[in-house]
Amino acid sequence: PMFAQIAQQVIDQFETCDLSDVASVLWAFANVNFTHGALFGRVRQLLVQQVESCSPYELVQIAWAFSRVKQADRELLVEVLAPAIRAKMLEFEAPRDLCTLAWSYSHAGVVDEALFNDLAHVLSSKVKLMNAHDVSSIVVAFASIEYAHRRLFRALQKHTRAIANSFSPLQLARTIYGFGVAGVDDEPLMRILCERALKQQHLLHAKNVVEIVVGLSEAEFTPKRVIRSLLGDSEKLVRWLGAEDAIQLLHAMARLPPAIYRG
């Protein structure tokens, strides 16, 4: 009720609100996964008219918020936001903002080739400034189009080795998944990430385990010790999985070498 009241107040005073205020409200709502259809609808209308006046940070907040609460679609991201983002591409100072934008498009299932080309070009020289959160966001966002951005991925692979010990369980799972889906052929890197995963195994959620197994199967890097350890308590694992994740895990397991299940 409190968030609904705030949303209604913003709608009632919409004509006098600054874009920065609106962006901050959307970000706060998305942060607690709260959706208010009427407010998000009004913001969409406003963006069509005034998106050029958004600052780079406001564009990040708005794109992330719409994507986070599943209100983003191709029309909003590609036709409305992308031209404004590309026009301000060199004004984004921290790689975190560009990584968040890439995540927002990826999470919404939208790839804008022109925008992602610009993002890859700018980010390639900023990889050394990224932390584990940034790396995991970018690797997943660009996984399906790695073939077009080899320079970026080479830099990401090198940097991931350097900061591997800083990855949280979630970041580790997403990074292994992203590199695997991208088809990155880097056995030394995957070995480092696998060892990190085993050390953090007691902290991995069931969904994290699924992402790691899927990533390793896609990369065709499936060390028996790692896979068997991750899938060791299968009853507990299955108990915490939703139907979609369980099906994804079954598909990945079907691709594993038979030798993993022997002995």
Side-chain angles (χ1 to χ4, degrees), residues 139 142-147 150 153 157 176-186 190 215 217-220:
V139 169
F142 280 83
S144 64
I145 50 174
E146 177 273 345
Y147 59 87
R150 296 275 165 79
F153 267 80
Q157 289 164 244
I176 292 173
Y177 173 84
F179 278 134
V181 172
V184 168
D185 183 14
D186 191 339
M190 296 305 276
S217 68
E218 290 286 343
E220 298 182 356

Side-chain angles (χ1 to χ4, degrees), residues 167-174 200 203-205 208 212:
F167 281 76
S168 71
L170 172 61
Q171 293 160 356
L172 190 63
R174 299 299 285 155
Q200 296 199 42
L203 299 173
L204 293 173
H205 292 293
N208 301 151
I212 292 172

Side-chain angles (χ1 to χ4, degrees), residues 37-219:
L39 177 58
F40 276 81
R42 286 294 298 273
V43 175
R44 283 181 75 114
Q45 294 172 1
L46 181 66
L47 287 171
V48 171
Q49 301 165 350
Q50 300 185 27
V51 69
E52 294 87 359
S53 63
C54 287
S55 70
Y57 185 62
E58 288 160 5
L59 289 169
V60 173
Q61 286 184 306
I62 291 167
W64 181 84
F66 270 89
S67 182
R68 176 78 167 77
V69 296
K70 296 180 169 55
Q71 295 292 306
D73 55 30
R74 187 167 188 83
E75 179 183 2
L76 174 70
L77 293 177
V78 175
E79 297 179 20
V80 179
L81 292 179
I85 293 169
R86 294 186 68 202
K88 292 179 167 65
M89 186 64 67
L90 298 180
E91 296 177 34
F92 292 91
E93 295 180 7
R96 165 64 60 88
D97 290 341
L98 296 175
C99 294
T100 300
L101 285 171
W103 179 91
S104 301
Y105 278 70
S106 172
H107 185 68
V110 173
V111 174
D112 181 311
E113 187 174 338
L115 174 62
F116 271 59
N117 284 342
D118 286 353
L119 285 171
H121 177 72
V122 174
L123 284 170
S124 291
S125 62
K126 297 178 182 287
V127 170
K128 289 182 179 179
L129 301 175
M130 293 183 189
N131 60 21
H133 175 87
D134 301 330
V135 169
S136 62
S137 297
I138 284 296
V139 169
V140 172
F142 280 83
S144 64
I145 50 174
E146 177 273 345
Y147 59 87
H149 304 290
R150 296 275 165 79
R151 177 169 168 252
L152 173 62
F153 267 80
R154 282 195 297 271
L156 287 167
Q157 289 164 244
K158 182 178 180 180
H159 189 55
T160 300
R161 286 192 192 87
I163 65 169
N165 288 333
S166 68
F167 281 76
S168 71
L170 172 61
Q171 293 160 356
L172 190 63
R174 299 299 285 155
T175 302
I176 292 173
Y177 173 84
F179 278 134
V181 172
V184 168
D185 183 14
D186 191 339
E187 189 172 312
L189 173 60
M190 296 305 276
R191 189 175 293 111
I192 291 170
L193 296 177
C194 282
E195 290 303 318
R196 178 73 179 161
L198 292 183
K199 287 180 181 176
Q200 296 199 42
Q201 188 171 348
H202 62 292
L203 299 173
L204 293 173
H205 292 293
K207 186 175 181 65
N208 301 151
V209 173
V210 172
E211 289 181 328
I212 292 172
V213 173
V214 169
L216 294 178
S217 68
E218 290 286 343

